[in-house]
Amino acid sequence: MNYVLSHQEGNCLGVTIRAAMPLMNNAYPVGKCREFIETIPDEDVRAIAWGEYYYYSGQAELAAKTMEPYQGSADPELRYSANLVCFFASFTRGRIQEAMSAFEQMQTDLQNDLRVGSSPALRAIGAFAVTASSVLLHLPMTVDVDLRQYISCLPDGMKLWACYMLAHKMYLEQNYNGSLAIAELALSIHPQLFPVAAIYVHLVAAMNLMSLRRVEEAKRHIAQAWALAQPDDLIEPFGEHHGLLQGLIELFFQKDYSEAFEKIIAITYSFSAGWRKIHRLVSRQEVADNLTTTEFSIAMLYNRGWTAKEIAAYMNLSPRTITNAIQIIYQKLGISSKRELGQFMLA
């Protein structure tokens, strides 16, 4: 299902509007996201784009409400899109069974598409949706599929976000240089053409740079991500990646963007609570769930080998504050040594 839509500005002139993740897949002019959505001619595709927007702007309840009617759509691109967004929106709202139901539906649809030999483009969209859910929530897949084999069949916006997913997976494997290389290559090919996808790629680049202790470069990626996100209030990705950004959110937002910082922290708590519920359900392992966001950032840095003095200088806090925070973290987690801390951290 393709629709051609011409715009008078930006890179949208003559683009093809795909039914699958139409907001992610389009190079709308930054700051004109909502206006762009309203110009999509097909009612159903426009609704999917609004559902995406609600999710990326931190409105999970409205995102789910918008997408739910399409979870059983006869159009597979609409169905994959709706289930993918509902998956993330549901666990963010603490509705784990609904999230897992959406994940299972995507896997069932992909298995059917692989069995009946659906078009490469449709199989690619299915592989994208299932892999995104699996990688970002650390869930095992029941369908045997390798997204790398399908990237060339994806539309360009999803291609860029697929690079983010592959980089994120490599980050979780602690291959920070390899993950950073994927992110930087992706950005060099599509630097700002697809704002939604580019935001996520900048964030995964920042995550890796922090793990490599290249802080100034990480700050630049955060600034670039925010330049793409702020004009359209696309704040959700920053809340999703708070812990993995290891203090960058506090450093970048707390002083100069206090209102955005409060929204990001609220998103972080709801996103993290849902992530922990799914993680416990699947892995039977514990993660830190009683730390403040600042304590979690300190714990991530300390777990990565930063000293209290280094963390203090980076976060503009006193060394004594950091030392006290580490002791509080130990008390909350019921541990007594740095060696035990790693089991509670995300990566």
Side-chain angles (χ1 to χ4, degrees):
M1 180 188 292
N2 293 342
Y3 300 92
V4 177
L5 176 65
S6 294
H7 288 259
Q8 298 302 313
E9 55 184 319
N11 293 312
C12 292
L13 186 62
V15 300
T16 298
I17 306 298
R18 294 291 301 266
M21 306 300 287
L23 188 57
M24 179 187 291
N25 269 323
N26 277 283
Y28 61 83
V30 173
K32 301 289 184 180
C33 181
R34 291 176 287 267
E35 291 89 336
F36 161 73
I37 294 171
E38 280 303 304
T39 63
I40 296 176
D42 183 88
E43 180 181 356
D44 294 325
V45 178
R46 188 166 64 249
I48 294 293
W50 274 119
E52 286 183 86
Y53 175 77
Y54 294 139
Y55 181 74
Y56 302 138
S57 60
Q59 303 176 73
E61 193 74 41
L62 194 50
K65 183 178 180 180
T66 304
M67 291 299 206
E68 281 167 1
Y70 295 95
Q71 286 187 274
S73 172
D75 185 311
E77 290 194 25
L78 297 178
R79 189 168 65 249
Y80 274 126
S81 301
N83 278 301
L84 180 59
V85 174
C86 280
F87 170 75
F88 285 104
S90 293
F91 89 77
T92 300
R93 294 148 62 221
R95 301 188 180 180
I96 304 308
Q97 289 306 119
E98 292 178 25
M100 295 306 293
S101 177
F103 183 50
E104 290 165 7
Q105 183 61 57
M106 287 186 286
Q107 292 189 95
T108 298
D109 286 344
L110 178 56
Q111 286 173 332
N112 290 337
D113 287 332
L114 293 171
R115 188 180 68 253
V116 303
S118 297
S119 71
L122 185 56
R123 281 178 280 159
I125 291 168
F128 173 94
V130 171
T131 303
S133 307
S134 172
V135 168
L136 302 182
L137 272 297
H138 309 184
L139 297 175
M141 295 190 298
T142 59
V143 56
D144 184 17
V145 66
D146 185 346
L147 179 61
R148 292 172 297 180
Q149 298 177 357
Y150 291 95
I151 286 182
S152 63
C153 298
L154 289 168
D156 284 344
M158 292 176 85
K159 219 176 265 183
L160 183 57
W161 212 79
C163 289
Y164 153 76
M165 277 193 284
L166 295 177
H168 195 115
K169 183 175 185 295
M170 200 169 284
Y171 168 88
L172 295 174
E173 296 165 352
Q174 300 184 25
N175 183 350
Y176 305 127
N177 283 304
S179 178
L180 179 61
I182 291 175
E184 290 184 334
L185 178 61
L187 288 169
S188 71
I189 296 171
H190 298 296
Q192 293 184 355
L193 295 180
F194 301 91
V196 168
I199 290 166
Y200 280 89
V201 179
H202 278 298
L203 292 179
V204 79
M207 286 158 44
N208 286 290
L209 288 163
M210 283 302 302
S211 294
L212 295 167
R213 297 200 184 198
R214 292 159 60 180
V215 176
E216 293 306 313
E217 292 172 79
K219 289 179 184 176
R220 287 196 287 273
H221 276 284
I222 283 288
Q224 289 173 288
W226 186 235
L228 294 172
Q230 184 185 21
D232 296 300
D233 198 31
L234 304 182
I235 205 164
E236 174 73 25
F238 298 88
E240 291 177 10
H241 294 83
H242 174 276
L244 301 179
L245 288 167
Q246 302 169 61
L248 274 180
I249 295 296
E250 283 82 0
L251 200 66
F252 185 83
F253 287 94
Q254 196 165 17
K255 181 180 177 181
D256 296 327
Y257 303 100
S258 57
E259 185 177 344
F261 179 73
E262 290 179 8
K263 291 181 181 177
I264 288 169
I265 296 305
I267 289 168
T268 297
Y269 278 121
S270 59
F271 185 91
S272 298
W275 186 89
R276 286 191 297 268
K277 287 179 182 178
I278 285 185
H279 187 71
R280 285 198 192 99
L281 181 67
V282 174
S283 70
R284 307 297 180 186
Q285 294 178 341
E286 292 297 316
V287 290
D289 65 352
N290 56 349
L291 305 182
T292 68
T293 53
T294 298
E295 287 168 348
F296 194 92
S297 294
I298 291 170
M300 285 286 288
L301 292 167
Y302 195 59
N303 185 56
R304 292 294 172 82
W306 291 49
T307 66
K309 186 176 180 180
E310 288 172 329
I311 297 171
Y314 165 59
M315 298 189 73
N316 297 320
L317 298 169
S318 72
R320 182 168 182 168
T321 298
I322 299 301
T323 300
N324 289 339
I326 291 169
Q327 292 306 311
I328 291 170
I329 290 165
Y330 280 9
Q331 291 171 12
K332 286 186 174 183
L333 299 181
I335 60 176
S336 58
S337 70
K338 188 175 182 179
R339 179 181 56 81
E340 298 173 279
L341 183 61
Q343 65 181 302
F344 293 94
M345 297 294 97
L346 296 176

